[in-house]
Amino acid sequence: DELEGIDSFESFARNGGWEYNNKTDEGVHMTFWNNKYDDAACQWRLDHARQLFHNKYPNMATESDLPEPRCDFSKATFYGNSDGPRLDIR
């Protein structure tokens, strides 16, 4: 895919590729997800995704052009009268 640079996932996997291994914090035959929890690496991934989006949709608004969404989370609705999550909400 464009984001990770995999042209054919089937071929990638057949040749031993792994997008990410949580024990080594690296991919095999790819580096996109390396250092998964590193702030600089995460920022690079976000910037890369934003640039790809801009290249594909140059006339669309970006997230910085849009207002912050209003948070409509209701603790009482979600948790009910207890401190635990309500399991009956679908």
Side-chain angles (χ1 to χ4, degrees), residues 77-78 86-90:
T77 299
F78 188 77
R86 288 183 54 195
L87 301 177
D88 62 333
I89 295 176
R90 301 243 187 261

Side-chain angles (χ1 to χ4, degrees), residues 63 66-72:
E63 65 186 290
L66 302 172
E68 280 289 321
R70 185 179 67 82
C71 178
D72 62 357

Side-chain angles (χ1 to χ4, degrees), residues 30-46:
M30 81 133 34
T31 59
F32 184 82
W33 293 108
N34 288 8
N35 305 308
K36 184 176 176 180
Y37 299 105
D38 178 77
D39 288 343
C42 289
Q43 187 62 55
W44 179 87
R45 286 188 285 272
L46 282 170

Side-chain angles (χ1 to χ4, degrees), residues 8-60:
S8 164
F9 191 81
E10 184 179 328
S11 176
F12 171 75
R14 190 175 334 116
N15 289 310
W18 283 76
E19 290 176 279
Y20 182 75
N21 179 322
N22 62 351
K23 292 183 180 177
T24 62
D25 194 31
E26 294 180 344
V28 176
H29 305 310
M30 81 133 34
T31 59
F32 184 82
W33 293 108
N34 288 8
N35 305 308
K36 184 176 176 180
Y37 299 105
D38 178 77
D39 288 343
C42 289
Q43 187 62 55
W44 179 87
R45 286 188 285 272
L46 282 170
D47 293 342
H48 181 61
R50 287 179 179 128
Q51 187 61 52
L52 285 173
F53 185 88
H54 176 72
N55 292 347
K56 193 166 190 167
Y57 306 103
N59 298 319
M60 289 196 66

